[in-house]
Amino acid sequence: MAGRNGRTVRDLRRANRTAVLQRLYFDGPLSRFELGPATGLSSGSVSNVVADLVADGLLEEAGSVDSDGGRPRTLLRVAPGSGHMIGVDVGETRVRVELFDLTLTELARAERPLTRQGYDVDVIVGHIRDGVAEVLTTAGIAPEKLLGVGIGVPGIIEHTADRGAVVHGQTIGWDAVPLEALLRSTSQLPGDVRYFIDNGAKTLGQAEMWFGGGRGAHNAVVVLFGSGVGACLVTPEVDHGRAVEWGHLTVRVRGRRCRCGALGCLEAYAGAESLLDRWREEGGRPPEGTDEETALTAMLAAAYPADDGTPPDPVALAVLEETAEYLGAGLSDLINLFQPERILIGGWAGLQLGARFLPAVRRHAASYALRHPAEKVTIDLGRLGPDAVTVGAAILPLADFFARGGRRPEPAPEGPHPAWRTALEERAPH
């Protein structure tokens, strides 16, 4: 039965379950008495919802606290083992797969390096499939216990009714890749275990906003600085975040060729791949046969040697200083456009460059931005480290679980959706 606002009793129960679960998740353990004012629910509603969630195995007791003259109050918390999520980071040097319990404690991980095959679609699909199977086996978790698999990938994600999540990754050579359908066609996961596929910068932003340096901010930008660069914008109007192709803003007319094919993109100057290329072009000598992370470490060591009297490599230092200016100028565009309270820099390259790089980036951002918004923003490193993308990816199924009031989705038919089979067949000859 629907009320005047169109909400049914079922909708109301789901909303109440969601409110209690989220409050306990972020602020628990709490007593039933504390849950009332924390959620805005009556004591009777709190008692009913808690009883349902305890019966479903989602809540458990976590000790007690003294009350004013009465019996001790029992504390409640979300039960860690009542659900599990997998987060996947399709990164630039590896595919990382991590299994978490409901409180986002890591239980197992698997990593697959990306070498010569790079972003070959079949290689990536195989790495994800095998990594999911490995972490489930390692932790001894049945696939049926999964709330979902979240995946962060480069590119623009289009969610379609007929093919599921489709990835448009121009910089990695993916043209409308039906990633969800491909995973479904090869996965051994049950039909009710959903895939949640989104841009890697957005999953990074999701993690930092829930648990990292963005928590409590109303307007924030989280930057992913890796081989390329991207960003996630979070505002009151976009509370779950929106990936923005910040790396492909034009910062120099008729400038360097970006890997997307255009000229003068920020990524052609500020991404780790282009940074190393510029060092090489200016006469630097990155170590041969190593991945980008190792090469960037060597460049930093050359530019900022240990205090043993070794002079800095002037070429490496000049390229890094120029990169800081380009990155600061790029951040100034975000400051002027969105006027965020905070900007957080994450991604493996951002974390490697770290505190040594940050003062110059702040200085250039302030010099290029309008004074008023620049005075109100803070620019810092993200707090969650190299696993932030996988944590954020795992949050995608967790957020869906909360939105359902702690109930799992209905089982889907086994195998790919019929329309997805068409997508797979269309791709087969290629």
Side-chain angles (χ1 to χ4, degrees):
M1 179 178 177
R4 291 183 179 179
N5 60 3
R7 298 182 74 191
T8 65
V9 172
R10 184 177 180 181
D11 292 335
L12 183 60
R13 287 175 178 164
R14 181 173 61 243
N16 290 349
R17 284 169 61 101
T18 295
V20 170
L21 272 174
Q22 289 186 326
R23 188 55 58 205
L24 285 171
Y25 192 83
F26 289 108
D27 300 326
L30 297 171
S31 68
R32 289 170 177 82
F33 179 79
E34 293 170 309
L35 279 170
T39 60
L41 300 177
S42 67
S43 58
S45 294
V46 168
S47 294
N48 291 335
V49 171
V50 167
D52 283 346
L53 293 173
V54 169
D56 290 345
L58 295 176
L59 301 184
E60 63 185 19
E61 294 185 0
S64 62
V65 292
D66 293 334
S67 62
D68 297 332
R71 292 183 305 173
R73 293 188 179 121
T74 300
L75 295 175
L76 299 164
R77 68 181 179 190
V78 173
S82 57
H84 299 83
M85 302 83 64
I86 286 178
V88 180
D89 175 11
V90 179
E92 290 135 343
T93 59
R94 63 176 60 84
V95 173
R96 176 180 288 135
V97 181
E98 296 183 50
L99 173 70
F100 302 91
D101 67 16
L102 201 63
T103 58
L104 285 174
T105 298
E106 182 189 314
L107 303 179
R109 72 163 56 199
E111 293 193 356
R112 301 288 191 276
L114 294 179
T115 53
R116 290 177 304 159
Q117 298 99 335
Y119 284 99
D120 179 273
V121 174
D122 294 329
V123 170
I124 297 294
V125 169
H127 284 343
I128 296 173
R129 180 195 63 228
D130 296 344
V132 167
E134 181 179 330
V135 295
L136 288 172
T137 299
T138 299
I141 300 298
E144 293 76 16
K145 295 274 285 182
L146 285 178
L147 301 179
V149 179
I151 303 171
V153 297
I156 297 169
I157 314 303
E158 179 185 11
H159 296 279
T160 68
D162 58 342
R163 298 195 296 171
V166 175
V167 183
H168 303 271
Q170 189 168 327
T171 60
I172 61 173
W174 284 18
D175 182 14
V177 170
L179 182 59
E180 186 174 352
L182 294 170
L183 289 168
R184 276 278 174 222
S185 70
T186 61
S187 172
Q188 301 300 312
L189 296 180
D192 62 339
V193 176
R194 295 178 56 195
Y195 289 95
F196 298 81
I197 300 172
D198 221 319
N199 178 274
K202 180 177 175 180
T203 69
L204 170 67
Q206 184 103 23
E208 289 288 350
M209 295 305 293
W210 274 41
F211 301 110
R215 190 168 184 189
H218 294 287
N219 298 276
V221 175
V222 183
V223 170
L224 193 160
F225 180 15
S227 182
V229 291
C232 173
L233 167 69
V234 181
T235 70
E237 295 78 26
V238 193
D239 58 352
H240 293 297
R242 183 185 72 211
V244 290
E245 290 294 335
W246 173 60
H248 302 288
L249 290 176
T250 302
V251 295
R252 189 165 182 174
V253 176
R254 292 187 295 275
R256 290 175 60 87
R257 178 78 62 183
C258 178
R259 58 182 182 171
C260 76
L263 295 175
C265 293
L266 174 63
E267 188 168 293
Y269 294 90
E273 179 180 302
S274 63
L275 194 159
L276 292 167
D277 284 344
R278 285 162 45 227
W279 184 31
R280 188 179 296 108
E281 290 164 8
E282 295 296 325
R285 290 196 295 259
E288 297 295 330
T290 59
D291 59 26
E292 284 183 359
E293 293 186 38
T294 304
L296 185 58
T297 300
M299 184 178 187
L300 285 168
Y304 307 109
D307 295 330
D308 59 0
T310 303
D313 177 339
V315 175
L317 187 60
V319 171
L320 283 168
E321 288 177 345
E322 184 184 42
T323 300
E325 182 169 5
Y326 275 113
L327 192 59
L331 292 181
S332 76
D333 290 332
L334 297 175
I335 293 169
N336 291 343
L337 285 169
F338 304 118
Q339 300 179 33
E341 300 168 48
R342 302 176 199 172
I343 293 177
L344 299 169
I345 300 175
W348 66 265
L351 296 174
Q352 266 200 4
L353 292 170
R356 185 185 292 276
F357 204 56
L358 206 53
V361 171
R362 288 180 180 137
R363 185 174 66 253
H364 290 302
S367 69
Y368 282 103
L370 293 170
R371 184 172 62 255
H372 181 69
E375 288 174 347
K376 293 181 174 294
V377 69
T378 60
I379 302 174
D380 291 296
L381 295 177
R383 296 180 185 172
L384 298 182
D387 292 338
V389 173
T390 49
V391 171
I395 288 174
L396 299 176
L398 178 61
D400 178 75
F401 183 64
F402 284 160
R404 294 174 180 275
R407 300 193 188 279
R408 296 173 182 269
E410 294 297 321
E414 289 299 322
H417 184 284
W420 295 2
R421 294 195 188 99
T422 302
L424 296 173
E425 289 163 1
E426 288 174 351
R427 186 180 177 278
H430 306 290

